[in-house]
Each structure stands twice: as C-alpha cells, then as structure tokens.
Amino acid sequence: MARNTGHHYWLTLLSIIPARHLQKSPSSPSASLGKTLTAANRAPPPAGPAAAAAASRPPAAGRSAGPAPAEEASAAAGPGETEAARKQARAVGGAPRSRRPRDEPQPLRRRPEASPPGTSRASATASCFRPGLAWPGLTRSGPVRSGPAPPGGPAPLPARLRRHFLPAADRPAPPAAARAAGNMPKKGGKHAEMGKEMQAQCKRAKVEEACSLSVMNFENPDSLFGSFISPIKQEMFFREYWEQKPLLVQRNDPLLAAYYQSLFQLSDLKELCSQGLYYGQDINICRCVNGKKKVLNKEGKVNYMQLKKDFDQKKATIQFHQPQRFKEELWKIQEKLECYFGSLVGSNVYITPQGSQGLPPHYDDVEVFILQLEGEKHWRLYKPTVHLAREYNVEPEDRIGNPTHEFILKPGDLLYFPRGTIHQADTPLGISYSTHVTISTYQNNSWGDFLLDAIPGLVFDSAKEDVVLRTSIPRQLLMQVDTADSTKKLSSLLRRLADRLENTRELRSSDMKKDFIMNRLPPWLGCDSHPLTPGGKLPKIDSKIRLQFRDHAIITVEPDQENSDEIHRDMVYVYHSLKNRRETHMMGREDDTTSEEGTSQQTHGLRFPLSYLDALKQIWSSSTVNVKELNLISDEEKENLVLSLWTECLIEVI
C-alpha cells in the first residue's frame, strides 16, 4: 500500500490491513539525532520571600530499595548514588512490591489487594496552625496526625517544600568536601561567579531550544492526548478503538520523527550506564529462542561495554525500565497522560539489533501505545484468546494462528492495541537496530477492580444502619459443602446493597485513589523550573483563592487513622502527588518502608474534621472562591483551612 505523499500524515486503520500488504524497507535508521531533553545542570532556585520567612525543612526521604534477582526488577535507591551507598540501600531495603520486568511491555506495578474498611495503607504527618485546633497544616512524608497547637499563634511556615524532580545523577556532583559540608565553597571570586552565571544562562538557553522542538501540545492533558494520537480524533479513538481493536498511525513527518528520537536513543545508554544502572532493576537483556524468552542478565551493575557486546554479538534486546526517570520529555508526556487517564502510566524502551527478536508472542494486561523512535520494527498482531486480559501470558505459535495484522513501524509512527492483544515484533535484516518506547496504562483499572475497592466500604457503612446486615449467618455455614440456600440469601442482601447504592452520595474508593496518587509522577513544571515552594500572598479571610494542580490531588473520607479508641470517627483526607519522587516512579517500592523518624513513607497530604468536607468541595468544584464564603462556621476555621492548603502549594491567592 503506497504512502499518500499529498498529506502531512498517512493513516492506516489496522482493521482493513491484510497480512499480505507487509512492506519491508531496507533503509537504515535515520541519522538525524533529536535533542535530549534533560534538566541537568539546572541552576539552583533563589529562596523566595515565603522561604526566607519560614523555618527550613529537609527534603522527604526516599524509600529504601530491596535486592532483586536477575529476572525480577527490584526497587533501588537513586541512580546517581555511589556503589557503596547502593549496596547499603539494597541491603537494608525490603523486597520489591511486585514490579517485575516480565515480557513486553509490563511497565506498571500491580496494586495490592483491597484493604478492609477502617484500615489504611497511607497517611501523612502534620502540625497545627491555630491554638486549640486539632487538624493539620503542613505535612511531611509520613502519616497525618494532629497534635497540640503551638502556644502564641500559628506554627512557623516551612522555608521550602522540596521535591526532587531529578535523580542525583542528573545534577552536577559537588566536590567531596563540599558534599560533606553541605554547601559549595566559592572559588575564583567575582570573575568566577560571572563565568558560572554566563554558563548557566547558556545551558538554560540550550534546554529552552530543545523544549521548542516539541510537536506535542502540552497546554493541558486533553490537548496532549489529542496531539499524541493525531490525526485521529479522540471521540473516534474511544468510540472505535479503545479496548476494541488495534490502531496504526503511520506518519510521513520528519519533524515528528526527529521529536520521537529525542525521547530515547541507543546513544543515551552509555551516559546512563556511567550513572549507575543495575541488571533486573533498570535493564533486562533478553532474546527470543525457539519461542521462549531467554534472559542474559549479568549480576549487579551494568557495564556499557559488556552491554554493547551482548547487543552486537548475541543479538540481544535491551529492555530499559521506566525511562521517564531519566528523560525529561517522557516525564512531561507521561505526567500529562496520568492526568488524562486518571491511571498510572509507565514505559519501557526496547532496543533490538537487526535480524533479532527479544520476546516471544504474548499478551499483556495493559493498554499499549508504541512510539517508534529509531530504525524500523516488523510487527505481527493476532486475535486475542482472552479479551481485556487481566494478566500477562505467553502464547505458543501453534495456538495463535495467522496474524490479523502485519506491518513495519518507522520513526514517528504510533501503534495502539488493547490489553489481551497477542503480538510479537522483530527488527528486519538490513536495519542496524530498532528503538521503540512502550507507553502503557490501565493495569488493574477495571470495574471489577473498582468494585473490589468500593464494596467493603459500602457494606461497612450499610451495616451501621441496616439491621438485616447485622444478623448472624446460619450455624455451621462455614463448614457446609452445599451452600445453595445461603447463596439465595446472599443474593437478597446484595440487592439491598444495590438499592442503597442508588441513594448514596459518597462512595468510598480510598485504596485505588491513594494507590494512584502516591505512585504517580509529580507535576512537570517546565524546563529549568524551580522546586515547588509556597509563594505569593498569604491567604486571609478577605482573600480570593483558586485550586492549583487539580489533577494531582484527591479528597477522601476515611476512618480516623489517629483514633486509637473503639469509637469510629470519619475524617477528611487530602492527598497529593506534588512531592512524589520522579526517580522512583513505577519501580515498585515497598509500602511499609519507614524513614529514620519511623513514619511511613507513603503519601503526602492533610487531614481535617469531617465538617470541612463541604468547604473542600467548594474549592475543588469552583474556578475561584472567596475565603469568607467557605462553608465553615468561624473565620478561624476558614483561615486555617486555606492556610493549610497554601503551605502544601495546593491553592494560590489571586
């Protein structure tokens, strides 16, 4: 099928492409290299007025890493740490939660089973702002709790709410003496300072120039996804393709091809290996042999020369896990996609030499978007044996039949297919190598998963008001083999729950919400951006405010996590991802890892009495709101609420 050169894009709908239309092109990968978008050498931000007036607070500690076998990805400390620091972190950490670099794409981490109502996996530490009040203001990483108010007025505001946008390896390392002292000594006097300033300006100019290359529309999550699948319209995509059938968009656009190459290249691996990568955790080496995946991982740290040797001589595929931890533009794209879908978005890069295949035919439990970055890849798709599969599985060649679609991806092309779609891909002969990134989402994000999360809370609340749900089960029910009679009774109870559900305003889904918010990417604030800091005017009773980072914060109603007695009391929790760590995104950190202070490193947020719920909904549902019009009894409560949100950078005064 010939390309239509009269259009900027050439679109092929996979549903009408027969396998016989396969076109193999002997052309080599494009020689033009896109710019790498990183924020290394970012100039340190000056302290603002709010920061200068406040007491300093150390950055949130990261979660410890756990050891990983060769075929399983493990959680690890930041990629720029020294070998000794890594070994120590790996020695003291727990086992990874369930992040396993299985076959392609598997970028997401499985959510644990739903917790019973009244138990929580996440919370956040707090201090009080006003005398006599028992709800929090500013938090640190860890559980939220209330405590005695400081005498004489509000607690001091923090100097900074530091969030690490970059791994340590992406920042210039100061001399050892400076690291030990905690700051950099000045050298060379005034001329040296001027030289550093000019150098920083040059670096910022290069980053801005690189950012200008973007052909994606990052104005908001909706516009980003629209440009992501262009020229397909979003309405058409979700009506005809999403969870239904594959979509292939082949583009004859050199600008888009160059932009895709800037997301990740084979040449990026050399620098990243020098920063410290580990087999199993960051990189898998594999090859498909006789329909099975053969893993060729070494132990410990990745050596680039050995990696290149396996790539060239053994024709092994390099599978690089979660490149958004290192590449700015992928962070930028995936953060917006997480806002768009309301679900975690992970990625893996696959680099395959010519005449080779890394993975056997298989299907995944995620919605998959393939972006071809370098070279060409030959793809074959097959009819699903399990529609919308909930798990990964390898399928033997003799079971999958003939491919329903067969095609070549070139730089700038996009491929989508639903979870459960059987697929395999290889780099054709004559193409030196192929690089593509798999971006995927919607793992464990079905109605079934939502029911597992929401039903326990619904039953718990309903049983407080419905005496039928509190009556005893029949004697020896748990020992019976034939439970037909009890099944009828259970069906009747489920219908009572369904009737109640229709009249329920609040449906608890805390675990899924918190799992998403505490594991997602922090917001991307732009090239050369400063760390997030509370700034601008302090909110007062006569202020007008608006919510910031709406897509990065959630409100839940949960049992009081600080209440140790038997009295059940609901509280309102506001969780956010503004201080999440990009370098640990999707790496399966242990939830029960604790900091040196003994607090759980799980979520960031605030905790309020249930009476604050309506006022919080006012802020979340309005573009702007006057503080004095908030639905709270006293001005002191209104000021306390907005000041707490302001210190977490969730609102701004306008």
Side-chain angles (χ1 to χ4, degrees), residues 11 59 192 201 232 318 328 375 406 603 624 646:
L11 168 67
Q201 290 175 353
I232 296 296
I318 300 171
E328 290 276 322
E406 191 168 2
T603 55
T624 62
W646 181 84

Side-chain angles (χ1 to χ4, degrees), residues 35-57:
K35 293 185 180 293
T36 300
L37 303 181
T38 65
N41 304 319
R42 179 179 295 170
S56 62
R57 168 164 294 177

Side-chain angles (χ1 to χ4, degrees), residues 65-91 101 269 272-285 297-304 307 318-321 325-326 587 589:
E71 295 213 35
E72 291 194 2
S74 74
E81 295 177 348
T82 63
E83 180 70 17
R86 273 195 176 275
K87 289 181 178 179
Q88 182 181 3
R90 292 161 69 86
L269 278 178
L272 291 175
C273 286
S274 68
Q275 297 175 4
L277 301 177
Y278 286 82
Y279 285 105
Q281 170 187 300
D282 302 301
I283 283 182
N284 264 1
I285 305 296
N297 286 355
K298 306 296 187 295
E299 291 292 333
K301 207 169 185 178
V302 176
N303 178 278
Y304 176 75
L307 186 69
I318 300 171
Q319 182 185 25
F320 188 82
H321 302 307
R325 296 176 293 147
F326 307 94
M587 294 304 289
R589 302 295 185 187

Side-chain angles (χ1 to χ4, degrees), residues 318-511:
I318 300 171
Q319 182 185 25
F320 188 82
H321 302 307
Q322 309 304 337
Q324 72 277 5
R325 296 176 293 147
F326 307 94
K327 301 293 287 186
E328 290 276 322
E329 200 74 359
L330 280 172
W331 172 18
K332 186 179 179 182
I333 290 172
Q334 290 177 231
E335 182 262 327
K336 280 288 188 291
L337 289 177
E338 286 187 332
C339 293
Y340 183 83
F341 286 111
S343 177
L344 294 174
V345 175
S347 65
N348 282 330
V349 164
Y350 296 87
I351 309 175
T352 304
Q354 66 172 325
S356 181
Q357 179 171 331
L359 302 170
H362 65 279
Y363 60 79
D364 298 287
D365 56 349
V366 285
E367 300 296 304
V368 173
F369 296 89
I370 305 289
L371 309 182
Q372 186 67 25
L373 310 182
E374 297 179 299
E376 298 179 4
K377 203 72 175 278
H378 167 220
W379 283 84
R380 285 170 287 175
L381 307 183
Y382 303 82
K383 183 179 180 180
T385 54
V386 179
H387 289 276
L388 301 181
R390 290 179 55 86
E391 58 186 5
Y392 161 89
N393 192 42
V394 174
E395 289 284 18
E397 292 267 10
D398 58 358
R399 185 183 177 191
I400 60 179
N402 296 323
T404 56
H405 310 93
E406 191 168 2
F407 50 88
I408 294 286
L409 280 187
K410 297 183 178 181
D413 292 349
L414 176 141
L415 168 66
Y416 159 80
F417 51 83
R419 54 195 186 275
T421 302
I422 303 170
H423 57 281
Q424 60 178 325
D426 62 90
T427 301
L429 292 172
I431 305 298
S432 57
Y433 65 91
S434 163
T435 304
H436 77 262
V437 61
T438 296
I439 296 178
S440 49
T441 186
Y442 260 66
Q443 186 184 52
N444 296 345
N445 214 48
S446 66
W447 276 112
D449 296 298
F450 189 78
L451 284 172
L452 289 172
D453 186 46
I455 290 299
L458 176 65
V459 174
F460 186 81
D461 290 339
S462 300
K464 292 188 295 184
E465 302 178 11
D466 191 342
V467 68
V468 175
L469 292 173
R470 300 199 301 268
T471 57
S472 302
I473 62 175
R475 288 183 302 105
Q476 300 182 343
L477 172 63
L478 303 180
M479 297 182 286
Q480 293 177 7
V481 176
D482 185 1
T483 58
D485 292 340
S486 297
T487 301
K488 293 180 180 179
K489 178 64 175 180
L490 186 59
S491 298
S492 172
L493 294 175
L494 289 175
R495 281 190 286 271
R496 293 176 72 93
L497 286 175
D499 293 339
R500 176 181 173 84
L501 185 60
E502 291 184 359
N503 301 315
T504 299
R505 290 182 56 195
E506 302 295 337
L507 185 61
R508 293 184 185 178
S509 175
S510 325
D511 285 348

Side-chain angles (χ1 to χ4, degrees), residues 496-637:
R496 293 176 72 93
L497 286 175
D499 293 339
R500 176 181 173 84
L501 185 60
E502 291 184 359
N503 301 315
T504 299
R505 290 182 56 195
E506 302 295 337
L507 185 61
R508 293 184 185 178
S509 175
S510 325
D511 285 348
M512 285 185 72
K513 283 185 176 181
K514 286 186 290 187
D515 183 79
F516 170 55
I517 209 72
M518 74 186 190
N519 287 292
R520 63 171 302 186
L521 283 163
W524 189 89
L525 300 180
C527 294
D528 201 29
S529 60
H530 294 171
L532 203 59
T533 309
K537 298 178 181 178
L538 281 169
K540 300 184 181 299
I541 191 63
D542 57 350
S543 299
K544 178 182 286 188
I545 61 169
R546 67 181 169 197
L547 185 66
Q548 297 188 112
F549 307 107
R550 185 183 305 273
D551 294 326
H552 284 266
I554 60 169
I555 304 172
T556 70
V557 176
E558 306 172 27
D560 186 4
Q561 300 162 15
E562 296 297 316
N563 188 16
S564 59
D565 55 30
E566 296 181 358
I567 300 176
H568 175 81
R569 181 178 63 169
D570 284 338
M571 300 289 286
V572 181
Y573 289 84
V574 177
Y575 298 113
H576 65 80
S577 57
L578 304 187
K579 291 186 275 189
N580 286 5
R581 300 179 61 206
R582 166 204 180 189
E583 57 266 40
T584 61
H585 182 242
M586 305 306 301
M587 294 304 289
R589 302 295 185 187
E590 269 294 285
D591 282 342
D592 56 359
T593 304
T594 56
S595 69
E596 294 179 359
E597 298 176 359
T599 55
S600 178
Q601 301 289 330
Q602 296 180 353
T603 55
H604 306 280
L606 300 164
R607 166 180 169 273
F608 299 98
L610 192 59
S611 58
Y612 278 51
L613 180 60
D614 289 341
L616 285 165
K617 287 183 176 180
Q618 277 182 270
I619 298 173
W620 254 252
S621 60
S622 306
S623 55
T624 62
V625 62
N626 294 315
V627 175
K628 59 186 175 184
E629 295 177 0
L630 290 174
N631 191 6
L632 286 168
I633 296 176
S634 68
D635 289 351
E636 188 176 30
E637 289 178 322

Side-chain angles (χ1 to χ4, degrees), residues 96-112:
R97 185 170 165 192
S98 63
R99 171 65 179 86
R100 297 188 301 156
R102 304 172 304 189
D103 297 330
E104 180 182 2
Q106 213 281 308
L108 303 184
R109 173 215 20 79
R110 291 189 180 278
R111 181 182 298 113

Side-chain angles (χ1 to χ4, degrees), residues 258-269:
Y259 172 71
Y260 272 21
Q261 287 185 22
S262 74
L263 301 181
F264 200 95
Q265 301 174 33
L266 175 61
S267 57
D268 291 328
L269 278 178

